[in-house]
Amino acid sequence: MSNQNLKSATKFVHAGANPDPSTGAIMTPIFQTSTYVQEAPGVNKGFEYARSQNPTRKALEEALAIIENGKFGLAFSSGVAATDAVIKLLSPGDEVIVTNDMYGGTYRLFSKVFEKFGIKFIYVDTTEIENIRNAVTANTKLIWIETPTNPLMNITDIAAVADISKQAGALLCVDNTFASPYLQNPLDLGADIVMHSSTKYLGGHSDVIQGALIMNDVALREQLYFIQKSCGAVPGPMDCFLVLRGIKTLHLRMKQHCENGEKIAYWLRDNNNVAKVYWPGFKENKNYEIVTKQMKGFGGMISFELKDSSIEAANKVLCATKLFSLAESLGGVESLINHPASMTHASIPREERIKNGLQDGLIRLSVGIEDADDLIEDLKKAIGPLSAEK
Ligand SMILES: Cc1ncc(COP(=O)(O)O)c(C=O)c1O
C-alpha cells in the first residue's frame, strides 16, 4: 500500500502489508534467514545478505514511510542506533544544535561517544527560536530537536526550526518518539529526518527494542542506508514483525493514551500534594498555540513534582503504585512510573539536569490504555486524594 491520501486509521492498518506472494499469507512472514540463494553470482531476487536486506524489514520500512508521510523508512536495532546513524552523516568539526532537555541516552551518545570524534554539540533551549538562530555558525550541519521533550514536555516549533535549518544549509532531525506519527508528522512541517524509538508507541506492547528513521530525500536515504548496512545495527525479522503488528493499532492506542492522559493530568493538577504538572495540553503552557498547530492531541506522557520536593517523598510515590509499574521506557499499553533523575536521565550530570529544569524529585508517567478511573485510584493511594475528597 503506498497511497498516502488514505485517512490515518486506514494507513495504520494497511501500511506495509501486502499478501505474501508465495502463500497469500495476509500477515508479513518472519523471514528468519541470514542469507538468500542466488541463481548465479549477482543474479538474485533483490535480497543478498540479511544485514543489507530482509523482506520483513522491507515491509516495516515501507510502513514507517507511509505512516510518517515520507518516501523512505529505515529500521534500526534500537532508537539510539537510529540516532547514531544520523550523527555518522557528519564529519569532525561539524556542529549540531540540540534541544537541551531530551532523553538522557541521546545526551550520553552525543557527549560521551561522538564529542571525542570532533563533533560539537551546542545545547540550547529550542522552545525559543531565537536561541537556535543565535547558535547557527558556518559549521552547523544538523539541528536535532525533541518535541515534546523527555521528560519536561517542552515544545519546539518544528516549522520555524525547519526555516532556520534550510537557511543554514543544515539538516533538521526531529525525535518524534513522544508524539508518535499519529499525533505529529515532522516531515510535513519541513523536517529532513524523523527519528523514532520504535520501542515505544510504534511497538506499543513493551516487547521489542527498535529504532526508525524516515526521510523524503533519495540521496539522504542512500547515505543513511549505507550507514545502516555498513555499521550493521539492523533489527531482526521477529522484531520487525512485532513493530509492524504494533503499528496496526497505533491510532486506537493513541486515542486512549490521550484520553487517559488528559484525565490524569487534570487530576494531578488539582491535587494539593502536587506542585507542578508537565503535560502539553494545558492552555497556559508556553508554546501551547504551537502544540495545537503541530500536534493532533496531547499524548499520554506526563511529568510532575510533589510539593515535598525531597527524593524520599518521590521514592515513596514511585514504590507505592500498583498499576503504574516502576520501570524505564514508555509508550506501552500498560502504565509505567519512572524517576528520570536516577533512571532514564541518570547519564546527564546533575548540574546540567537542574540547569535545564529537571529536578531531583521529578516523576514521569507513561499513561497506558487501562481504565482511567483505576489509574487515578492507583495514584490516589500513592499521592493522596484531592482535598475535596479528604
Ligand atoms: C525520546 C527518546 N528518544 C530515543 C530513545 C532511545 O530509544 P531506544 O531505547 O529504543 O534505543 C528513547 C528511549 O527511551 C526516548 O525516550
Side-chain angles (χ1 to χ4, degrees):
M1 190 208 79
S2 61
N3 186 347
Q4 301 203 0
N5 295 323
L6 292 169
K7 300 237 166 30
S8 65
T10 316
K11 278 195 201 179
F12 290 120
V13 173
H14 289 279
N18 296 306
D20 173 47
S22 61
T23 61
I26 192 163
M27 286 300 136
T28 309
I30 300 163
F31 284 91
Q32 194 74 48
T33 188
S34 62
T35 193
Y36 308 87
V37 176
Q38 311 202 12
E39 278 172 47
V43 183
N44 56 60
K45 297 183 167 63
F47 298 93
E48 294 155 308
Y49 184 59
R51 176 159 34 74
S52 305
Q53 313 97 359
N54 177 282
T56 318
R57 193 172 96 214
K58 185 164 178 267
L60 171 62
E61 290 178 337
E62 278 172 23
L64 291 167
I66 289 167
I67 65 175
E68 271 294 7
N69 298 339
K71 289 207 174 93
F72 309 104
L74 292 169
F76 292 83
S77 55
S78 68
V80 291
T83 304
D84 173 270
V86 175
I87 305 302
K88 284 175 177 157
L89 293 167
L90 307 176
S91 304
D94 287 349
E95 293 180 7
V96 188
I97 299 172
V98 190
T99 303
N100 61 357
D101 171 43
M102 60 168 173
Y103 170 56
T106 309
Y107 176 86
R108 181 175 54 204
L109 178 66
F110 291 172
S111 61
K112 301 272 165 46
V113 178
F114 280 110
E115 259 175 31
K116 65 173 187 272
F117 291 106
I119 295 168
K120 203 169 152 198
F121 296 89
I122 297 108
Y123 300 92
V124 301
D125 173 1
T126 57
T127 62
E128 297 285 349
I129 288 301
E130 274 319 292
N131 293 342
I132 305 182
R133 215 185 297 280
N134 294 337
V136 170
T137 74
N139 295 327
T140 306
K141 293 289 156 37
L142 175 70
I143 302 178
W144 181 282
I145 58 172
E146 221 181 85
T147 181
T149 56
N150 180 359
L152 295 177
M153 315 297 155
N154 288 320
I155 300 295
T156 297
D157 186 337
I158 300 173
V161 185
D163 283 345
I164 298 176
S165 68
K166 282 190 180 65
Q167 277 167 29
L171 293 171
L172 169 60
C173 182
V174 180
D175 182 335
N176 201 27
T177 301
F178 264 37
S180 91
Y182 177 70
L183 297 179
Q184 178 171 274
N185 300 115
L187 295 180
D188 291 347
L189 302 166
D192 299 288
I193 308 171
V194 175
M195 177 265 161
H196 279 282
S197 167
S198 318
T199 312
K200 312 293 163 28
Y201 288 109
L202 294 181
H205 295 76
S206 307
D207 52 11
V208 66
I209 295 283
Q210 204 175 113
L213 297 177
I214 301 101
M215 71 286 327
N216 278 318
D217 185 77
V218 66
L220 187 56
R221 188 264 171 199
E222 287 315 303
Q223 280 175 285
L224 288 165
Y225 172 64
F226 180 81
I227 293 167
Q228 183 199 41
K229 77 171 178 189
S230 304
C231 299
V234 290
M238 174 74 191
D239 288 355
C240 292
F241 171 86
L242 287 171
V243 175
L244 264 173
R245 186 167 68 167
I247 288 171
K248 288 181 189 297
T249 55
L250 182 70
H251 52 300
L252 298 176
R253 288 186 282 108
M254 287 314 295
K255 278 182 202 164
Q256 199 59 44
H257 286 299
C258 289
E259 195 181 308
N260 288 356
E262 180 161 349
K263 283 187 188 158
I264 289 172
Y266 281 105
W267 183 85
L268 284 168
R269 201 171 66 164
D270 288 344
N271 192 301
N272 269 340
N273 294 329
V274 174
K276 185 159 186 196
V277 183
Y278 300 83
W279 176 65
F282 294 129
K283 287 196 176 60
E284 64 276 18
N285 286 351
K286 180 180 175 187
N287 288 353
Y288 176 75
E289 333 72 67
I290 295 163
V291 176
T292 54
K293 196 178 74 176
Q294 69 188 22
M295 292 178 74
K296 296 186 195 86
F298 307 120
M301 296 302 299
I302 304 170
S303 296
F304 65 96
E305 288 156 14
L306 296 169
K307 284 218 173 110
D308 177 347
S309 59
S310 66
I311 297 203
E312 293 71 35
N315 272 342
K316 247 181 156 169
V317 171
L318 289 156
C319 296
T321 54
K322 299 277 182 291
L323 288 174
F324 282 87
S325 301
L326 178 63
E328 304 212 3
S329 204
L330 60 108
V333 289
E334 67 292 307
S335 293
L336 300 180
I337 190 165
N338 169 279
H339 181 230
S342 68
M343 296 166 75
T344 45
H345 293 68
S347 50
I348 304 179
R350 183 170 185 274
E351 204 180 295
E352 193 66 23
R353 259 200 299 109
I354 302 283
K355 197 174 81 194
N356 296 333
L358 200 173
Q359 303 298 333
D360 290 334
L362 188 87
I363 295 173
R364 193 191 75 184
L365 301 177
S366 171
V367 177
I369 65 168
E370 303 95 330
D371 191 291
D373 292 343
D374 289 334
L375 294 177
I376 288 173
E377 203 51 43
D378 195 36
L379 291 173
K380 196 191 285 180
K381 285 187 192 124
I383 303 172
L386 302 183
S387 44
E389 298 171 325
K390 272 176 191 160

